[in-house]
Every structure is written in C-alpha cells, then in structure tokens.
Amino acid sequence: MYGDPPATSRRLRVSFNAPVTLTFAALCVCATVLGVATNGAATHLLFMTYRSSLLDPLMYVRLFTHVLGHAGWEHLIGNMSYILLLGPLLEEKYGSRTMVEVILVTAGVTGILNNVLFGTGLCGASGVCFAFILLSSITSLREGEIPLTFVLVAVLFLGQQVIDGIFVQDNVSQFGHIVGGVVGASLGFALNGRGK
C-alpha cells in the first residue's frame, strides 16, 4: 500500500536540462525581440559586429554579443533549431562550462576575423551552430583515427558553405559558418584529446 505511486499516476515535469543552451537561446530571442522592436537599431548598436573605432568600448562588447542578434525571426528559428537540438547533447557530454567556452571562443574568433578581414556587419548564431555541428560529429576519438562522421559532416556542411561563398550572392555569411565549423572541429579534437 505504501511506497512509490504507480507509474501512471506520477506527474511529468519540465526540466531545465541544458542551462547554457537554454540561456543562450533565451538571450538570442530577447536580442531579436529588441532588434525587431527598434527596427534594427538595437541590433546594429549591440548585436552586430563590424569594423569601428578601437576607442569605442561597444566594439569590444559586440565582438561577443553579435552571436545573439539576428536579422529576423526566420534567421533566429533556423539557428535555434540546430542549437536546441545539438546543445543539450554536447552540454551533457562536455559540461556547461565548456559549452560557455565554445560559444565565447566561436564568437570572439568570428568577430575578430570578420572585423579584420571584411569589416562588414555580422550577426547571428550561425557560427555557433556550425561549431556545434562539427563538435557533435567528434563524439570520441581513438589515437591515430579520424571519425568518418566528422569527415562527412565537414565535407557536406563546410563544403556547401565554400561553394555558396563563391557562387551565391546573398546576405548569408558563409565566412561565419566556415570559421564556426573550424572552431568547433578544433575544439572537438582538443577536448577529446584532453580526455585521454
């Protein structure tokens, strides 16, 4: 009569299973709402990186916050689909602190390289998405081996970005995708190598 209730009477509850992933997604939504509400002014001021005066303190902030801003809802939803799919799995494997580091390194590297090489406006979490995609393809490494899944993902995702960068004229930053993928792959090899 006593003890655990039958499984049918237990209540289901929603768990905050991936705090970094969910917090990052929430910040992206808030930044996009703010950008839409201000007709892009907030995005340009706070959530887009571009070449500006080295004396402007916001320039250094934008090197990292540009991954939060998005050009619109379609841009946001596309990125969040990958982040919410891959983030929890990666966060469970590598831990929350490591995921914060992955996001910050990806943002910083893409922001700095964009400002030095191009100087044009860059915003969105696409680089983080590609970092997650490549990082997730390297689930475990054995010495002297490269996972075939990693090779295929790198060829498919990064190869498509290189082709699009050469032949397609659009407002998508293939550069950010490629850099994000390279950062994700590099961190994946480093993280898996560190565990040995």
Side-chain angles (χ1 to χ4, degrees):
M1 292 190 78
Y2 297 103
D4 290 337
T8 55
S9 67
R10 289 185 183 157
R11 292 183 148 196
L12 292 177
R13 62 184 179 87
V14 176
S15 64
F16 198 68
N17 62 319
V20 171
T21 303
L22 291 168
T23 301
F24 180 72
L27 289 172
C28 288
V29 170
C30 291
T32 304
V33 167
L34 192 57
V36 169
T38 61
N39 202 26
T43 301
H44 189 267
L45 179 66
L46 299 171
F47 306 115
M48 178 183 289
T49 189
Y50 44 86
R51 191 177 297 146
S52 61
S53 170
L54 295 176
L55 300 177
D56 178 7
L58 284 179
M59 193 272 294
Y60 301 99
V61 172
R62 288 189 297 260
L63 288 175
F64 297 95
T65 60
H66 74 274
V67 296
L68 302 177
H70 288 79
W73 297 113
E74 187 176 342
H75 187 204
L76 174 74
I77 290 167
N79 285 336
M80 290 307 105
S81 299
Y82 282 105
I83 286 171
L84 291 172
L85 176 67
L86 299 173
L89 302 172
L90 292 171
E91 197 166 338
E92 183 177 336
K93 177 174 174 56
Y94 296 110
S96 297
R97 178 178 175 169
T98 299
M99 295 316 297
V100 170
E101 292 169 0
V102 169
I103 292 168
L104 290 176
V105 168
T106 304
V109 170
T110 55
I112 290 168
L113 288 178
N114 177 75
N115 290 4
V116 169
L117 298 176
F118 302 108
T120 57
L122 175 69
C123 73
S126 300
V128 175
C129 285
F130 273 74
F132 280 17
I133 289 167
L134 270 289
L135 183 57
S136 68
S137 71
I138 308 173
T139 53
S140 62
L141 288 178
R142 293 188 187 114
E143 194 170 331
E145 294 182 2
I146 296 175
L148 180 59
T149 53
F150 168 75
V151 173
L152 293 173
V153 167
V155 168
L156 291 173
F157 280 91
L158 295 183
Q160 181 65 46
Q161 295 310 303
V162 170
I163 291 168
D164 286 352
I166 295 169
F167 296 109
V168 178
Q169 295 295 324
D170 58 16
N171 290 328
V172 176
S173 174
Q174 284 80 23
F175 169 77
H177 297 172
I178 293 166
V179 171
V182 170
V183 168
S186 302
L187 291 174
F189 281 105
L191 290 168
N192 282 284
R194 191 170 69 190
K196 304 233 173 278

